């Protein structure tokens, strides 16, 4: 009776220990990328998941992709998941876990590893795009500068022309007055010359009349008056 009780007690303790061992949580593994987590497209990379114990099944999962799952059963404590000829869609966040033959549930998940895949074509285009943008900016800035320069020259020219217009108008007025005065003097001198060269016709007639009168008077004095001979004869 006592022996059977002890046997049952030992069996219960063993079963309880195994159940407790199956239900205990396993420590989380570690995940890292080799040679780097940032790689170029069409290249290769290896994700390594390391567990604290051996003889485990490693599981590699991807965030936001429930259909992605890779498993490896190894006697070692590290599993390698190889990626070859990488594509842009292979980029993303990965994590791994493991489970032992004795455990019912898997371990905690490892820290997430972000796999970044760069495109060589994009890398080549990036400097050219920067250069094109810089060239466009320089061209636009040069055009604006030239336009502002022409506008400044035009404004300065207009201001200078507007500022000198009173002086120029004064000069034009004085020049016109001087021309008018010179023209008036020329007309006056021309009129004097005409008056001197062409004497008054009435004056000329009076002079001629005076000369004729004098000549007639002289001729009259030389002639005897009528009846003088008769008067002399009578007197004698």
């Amino acid at each position: 009776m006592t022996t059977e009780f002890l046997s049952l007690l030992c069996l219960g303790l063993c079963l309880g220990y195994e159940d407790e061992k199956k239900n205990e949580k396993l420590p989380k593994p570690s995940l890292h990328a080799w040679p780097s987590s940032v790689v170029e497209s069409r290249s290769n990379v290896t994700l390594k998941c390391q567990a604290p114990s051996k003889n485990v099944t490693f599981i590699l999962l991807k965030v936001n992709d429930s259909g992605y799952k890779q498993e490896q059963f190894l006697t070692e404590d590290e599993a390698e998941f190889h990626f070859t000829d990488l594509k842009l869609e292979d980029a993303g966040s990965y994590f791994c876990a493991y489970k032992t033959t004795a455990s019912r549930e898997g371990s905690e998940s490892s820290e997430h590893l972000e796999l970044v895949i760069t495109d060589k074509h994009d890398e080549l285009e990036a400097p050219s795009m920067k250069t094109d943008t810089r060239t466009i900016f320089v061209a636009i800035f040069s055009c604006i500068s030239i336009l502002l320069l022409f506008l400044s020259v035009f404004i300065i020219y207009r201001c200078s022309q507007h500022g000198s217009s009173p002086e120029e108008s004064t000069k034009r007025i004085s020049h016109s007055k001087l021309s008018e005065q010179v023209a008036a003097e020329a007309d006056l001198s021309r009129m004097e010359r005409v008056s001197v060269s062409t004497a008054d016709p009435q004056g000329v007639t009076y002079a001629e009349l005076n000369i004729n009168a004098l000549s007639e008077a002289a001729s009259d004095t030389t002639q005897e008056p009528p009846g003088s001979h008769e008067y002399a004869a009578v007197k004698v």
Side-chain angles (χ1 to χ4, degrees), residues 16-70:
Y17 175 75
E18 289 180 358
D19 290 339
E20 183 179 357
K21 187 176 181 179
K22 289 181 180 179
N23 293 329
E24 69 178 354
K25 292 183 177 181
L26 300 173
K28 63 182 180 180
S30 61
L31 181 65
H32 63 279
W34 189 88
S36 175
S37 60
V38 180
V39 291
E40 297 177 353
S41 60
R42 297 184 180 180
S43 62
N44 303 328
V45 69
T46 300
L47 300 184
K48 296 182 178 182
C49 183
Q50 187 173 11
S53 58
K54 298 180 179 181
N55 299 323
V56 297
T57 301
F58 293 94
I59 305 170
L60 182 67
L61 303 171
K62 188 177 182 180
V63 178
N64 298 328
D65 190 354
S66 58
Y68 184 87
K69 184 178 181 180
Q70 293 190 42

Side-chain angles (χ1 to χ4, degrees), residues 139-160:
I140 293 173
F141 181 76
S142 301
C143 292
I144 293 174
S145 301
I146 294 171
L147 182 62
L148 291 176
L149 179 60
F150 277 109
L151 185 61
S152 302
V153 171
F154 178 74
I155 292 173
I156 292 172
Y157 174 75
R158 294 291 294 176
C159 292
S160 61

Side-chain angles (χ1 to χ4, degrees), residues 107-122:
S107 67
E108 296 182 8
S109 300
S110 66
E111 299 292 337
H112 292 183
L113 174 67
E114 190 69 26
L115 182 62
V116 179
I117 300 175
T118 60
D119 192 355
K120 293 181 179 179
H121 183 67
D122 293 341

Side-chain angles (χ1 to χ4, degrees), residues 2-206:
T2 306
T3 305
E4 292 177 355
F5 178 76
L6 291 174
S7 299
L8 291 173
L9 181 61
C10 290
L11 181 61
L13 291 174
C14 290
L15 292 174
Y17 175 75
E18 289 180 358
D19 290 339
E20 183 179 357
K21 187 176 181 179
K22 289 181 180 179
N23 293 329
E24 69 178 354
K25 292 183 177 181
L26 300 173
K28 63 182 180 180
S30 61
L31 181 65
H32 63 279
W34 189 88
S36 175
S37 60
V38 180
V39 291
E40 297 177 353
S41 60
R42 297 184 180 180
S43 62
N44 303 328
V45 69
T46 300
L47 300 184
K48 296 182 178 182
C49 183
Q50 187 173 11
S53 58
K54 298 180 179 181
N55 299 323
V56 297
T57 301
F58 293 94
I59 305 170
L60 182 67
L61 303 171
K62 188 177 182 180
V63 178
N64 298 328
D65 190 354
S66 58
Y68 184 87
K69 184 178 181 180
Q70 293 190 42
E71 291 186 3
Q72 290 185 17
F73 177 77
L74 298 173
T75 58
E76 301 296 330
D77 61 348
E78 186 179 65
E80 294 182 353
F81 299 92
H82 300 281
F83 292 81
T84 59
D85 194 17
L86 287 170
K87 300 178 178 59
L88 294 177
E89 53 267 22
D90 293 328
S93 184
Y94 293 86
F95 63 96
C96 69
Y98 68 94
K99 60 182 179 180
T100 62
T101 55
S103 62
R104 294 178 179 177
E105 298 180 356
S107 67
E108 296 182 8
S109 300
S110 66
E111 299 292 337
H112 292 183
L113 174 67
E114 190 69 26
L115 182 62
V116 179
I117 300 175
T118 60
D119 192 355
K120 293 181 179 179
H121 183 67
D122 293 341
E123 291 180 353
L124 292 175
E125 281 188 349
S128 62
M129 290 178 64
K130 291 181 180 179
T131 304
D132 293 341
T133 304
R134 187 178 302 172
T135 304
I136 293 171
F137 176 76
V138 171
I140 293 173
F141 181 76
S142 301
C143 292
I144 293 174
S145 301
I146 294 171
L147 182 62
L148 291 176
L149 179 60
F150 277 109
L151 185 61
S152 302
V153 171
F154 178 74
I155 292 173
I156 292 172
Y157 174 75
R158 294 291 294 176
C159 292
S160 61
Q161 188 178 17
H162 181 71
S164 62
S165 59
E167 296 178 358
E168 292 180 354
S169 60
T170 305
K171 290 180 179 180
R172 288 195 296 269
I173 292 170
S174 60
H175 181 70
S176 62
K177 288 183 177 180
L178 181 60
S179 300
E180 291 178 357
Q181 185 176 0
V182 171
E185 291 178 355
D187 292 339
L188 183 59
S189 61
R190 190 180 300 111
M191 290 175 66
E192 289 178 353
R193 287 196 298 271
V194 170
S195 62
V196 170
S197 61
T198 60
D200 189 0
Q202 292 182 357
V204 175
T205 304
Y206 294 157

